[in-house]
DNA sequence: GTCTATAGTAGGATAGAC
DNA sequence: GTCTATCCTACTATAGAC
C-alpha cells in the first residue's frame, strides 16, 4: 500500500469527522490528507469508493483492536461496558461515528450500501460470538434468536452514537439505563434451577414468534 | 401557512427521501415542491432552516398520528408492535427515516443539532409516557431509570431504521429477536409475588450504577 | 505517481423585474 | 409572493505536463 493511498484513506476519515457526510468531498479529503485532489480519482476511482475503502479498513482495525476485550467479556454488563469503552474511545478520537455517517449516506447512495453493511457486519459478528457464548444454556437463548439479537444490539449502538451527537447527556442517561437493565437480565439468569424451570415453561407458553 | 410554504416543507421531505441527506439542496427541494428555487430562501432563509422546519412538522404529525396507538399499548410487546407499525408505515411512504438522515447531518451541521434533537425528543417523550405507565410497580422500575430507557429505545429505533436501509433481512431478524426478548421481560414481570421479592433483593445487591 | 489546469456541472444566495 | 437572471463558490472528473 503506497504512502499516499494510505494518507487518502486516513484523510477520508478525518474529513468525515470534521465536515460530516454532507461536507465530505474529494477536495476536503485531499486537504486532510495533504495530497492532491486528483489523486482521489487516480487511486480510488471515485469519492464513494474511497469512502467505502476507508470505512472498511477503519472498521477492520477497530474490530481487531477490540478483539481481546470482546473475548474477555463474561457478562452482559461487561459487554455493555466494552461498548461504552468503544464509544468513549471513538469520541476521544473525534470520530462522529464514521459508520453511522456512512449508513446515512448509504440510504440513498446505492453504491455505498453493500460496503457499509459489510462494515457493520464486522461488529455484529463480534457481538454475535460474545452473545452466543454468554447466553448458552440461559433462558434467553431458549426464546431469542442470537444472531437477531446481535443485529439489534449493533444497530442500537449506532443509533445511540448518532443520538450522542445531538444530545450528549441524553445518550449518557440512555447507556446508564441499559446498564441497569442488564443487571435485571443477569439476575434472571442467576435464578435457582427451580425458578428457572418455571420461567422456561412460562416462556414456552408465551412465546408466539410473529411472522 | 401559505400554500407554497407548505409545498416546500413537503418537498423537503420528498427530496430527503429521494436523494438522501447528501443529495438534498435548494434546487432538488424546489423541484420536488414544484416551486422556484429562490423561494426556499425567501420563506426559510436557508436550506438548513427549511430542513429543520420540515423535520419538526413531519415528526409532530407522525407523533400525533400515533398518539392513540401509544395510549392503547398495554405491554412491552405491544409497544414494540407499535414501533413495527410505525417502521412499516414509514417504509411504505418511502421514508428512509427522515429523522435518521437529519441526525447524521446534525453531527457536524451545528445548526441542525438542536431542531433534530427536539424532533427525536418528541418520540422519546411518547415512549417515556408509555414506559412509565407499563413499568409502574414492576421490578424493572426498581432498577432502571425510565427516562433513560426511553432515550435508549428511541435511539435504538433510529439505529434499526438506518440498518434496514442497508440490510432489510437483518433488520427484520433484529426486530423479531427483540420481540422474543420482550416475552422474557414480561414473564419476569408476571412472576408471583414471592419470586418477585427475591428478585428485588437480588437486584438491590447487584445494582451498582456506574458514574 | 504526482502535479497543474480546466471542462462541465451543481450548489447557495441575492438583485431586481413583475 | 413569485419569477428570471446572475454571481460566486465548490464539486467531480479528466487531460496532459512532469
Amino acid at each position: 500500500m503506497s504512502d499516499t493511498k494510505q494518507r487518502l484513506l486516513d484523510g477520508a476519515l478525518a474529513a468525515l469527522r470534521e465536515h460530516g457526510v454532507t461536507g465530505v468531498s474529494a477536495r476536503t479529503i485531499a486537504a486532510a490528507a495533504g495530497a492532491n485532489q486528483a489523486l482521489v480519482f487516480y487511486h480510488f476511482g471515485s469519492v464513494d469508493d474511497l469512502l467505502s475503502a476507508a470505512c472498511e479498513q477503519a472498521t477492520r482495525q477497530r474490530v481487531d483492536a477490540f478483539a481481546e476485550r470482546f473475548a474477555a467479556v463474561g457478562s452482559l454488563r461487561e459487554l455493555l461496558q466494552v461498548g461504552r469503552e468503544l464509544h468513549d474511545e471513538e469520541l476521544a478520537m473525534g470520530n462522529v461515528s464514521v459508520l453511522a455517517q456512512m449508513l446515512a449516506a448509504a440510504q440513498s447512495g446505492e453504491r455505498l450500501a453493500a460496503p457499509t453493511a459489510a462494515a457493520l457486519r464486522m461488529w455484529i459478528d463480534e457481538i454475535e460470538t460474545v452473545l452466543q457464548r454468554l447466553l448458552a444454556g440461559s433462558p434467553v437463548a431458549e426464546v431469542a434468536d442470537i444472531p437477531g439479537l446481535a443485529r439489534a444490539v449493533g444497530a442500537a449502538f449506532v443509533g445511540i452514537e448518532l443520538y450522542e451527537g445531538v444530545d450528549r447527556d441524553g445518550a449518557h442517561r440512555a447507556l446508564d439505563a441499559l446498564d441497569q437493565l442488564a443487571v435485571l437480565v443477569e439476575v434472571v439468569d442467576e435464578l435457582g434451577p427451580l425458578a428457572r424451570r418455571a420461567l422456561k415453561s412460562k416462556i414456552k407458553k408465551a412465546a408466539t414468534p410473529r411472522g
Side-chain angles (χ1 to χ4, degrees), chain A:
Chain A
M1 175 86 69
S2 78
D3 185 54
T4 303
K5 205 169 172 181
Q6 184 57 52
R7 285 215 321 279
L8 284 172
L9 288 167
D10 297 338
L13 298 179
L16 219 40
R17 271 196 291 273
E18 192 164 351
H19 307 286
V21 73
T22 56
V24 84
S25 73
R27 283 169 154 81
T28 55
I29 291 172
N36 190 284
Q37 173 258 144
L39 294 176
V40 168
F41 303 97
Y42 175 78
H43 284 291
F44 295 95
S46 74
V47 175
D48 279 358
D49 287 341
L50 168 52
L51 286 175
S52 298
C55 181
E56 199 271 344
Q57 193 195 55
T59 306
R60 177 82 277 151
Q61 285 173 358
R62 299 296 288 153
V63 168
D64 287 350
F66 270 78
E68 299 119 36
R69 270 182 270 190
F70 274 120
V73 161
S75 69
L76 288 178
R77 288 190 84 188
E78 284 174 35
L79 176 57
L80 185 65
Q81 186 53 38
V82 170
R84 293 186 88 147
E85 284 171 24
L86 174 59
H87 182 81
D88 292 345
E89 284 189 24
E90 293 284 314
L91 222 60
M93 292 167 71
N95 274 348
V96 258
S97 186
V98 167
L99 197 45
Q101 298 269 314
M102 291 289 293
L103 273 173
Q107 300 294 311
S108 42
E110 289 79 16
R111 305 184 55 208
L112 290 175
T116 308
L120 180 53
R121 186 60 191 273
M122 292 183 214
W123 286 117
I124 289 174
D125 286 345
E126 291 290 312
I127 297 166
E128 190 175 329
T129 302
V130 174
L131 287 181
Q132 204 88 53
R133 179 163 52 80
L134 290 184
L135 300 177
S138 124
V140 176
E142 297 281 320
V143 273
D145 173 51
I146 303 283
L149 268 187
R151 280 156 178 77
V153 170
F157 187 78
V158 168
I160 292 176
E161 290 266 301
L162 276 181
Y163 180 40
E164 162 114 31
V166 299
D167 183 355
R168 181 158 302 202
D169 290 344
H172 192 258
R173 197 168 179 183
L175 287 169
D176 280 342
L178 287 179
D179 193 44
Q180 295 153 8
L181 194 66
V183 171
L184 187 102
V185 177
E186 289 190 353
V187 166
V188 171
D189 244 29
E190 286 161 9
L191 288 176
L194 231 79
R196 267 179 78 160
R197 218 171 305 145
L199 202 58
K200 280 193 186 181
S201 87
K202 282 210 180 195
I203 285 169
K204 279 239 166 70
K205 260 183 273 181
T208 50
R210 162 205 147 111

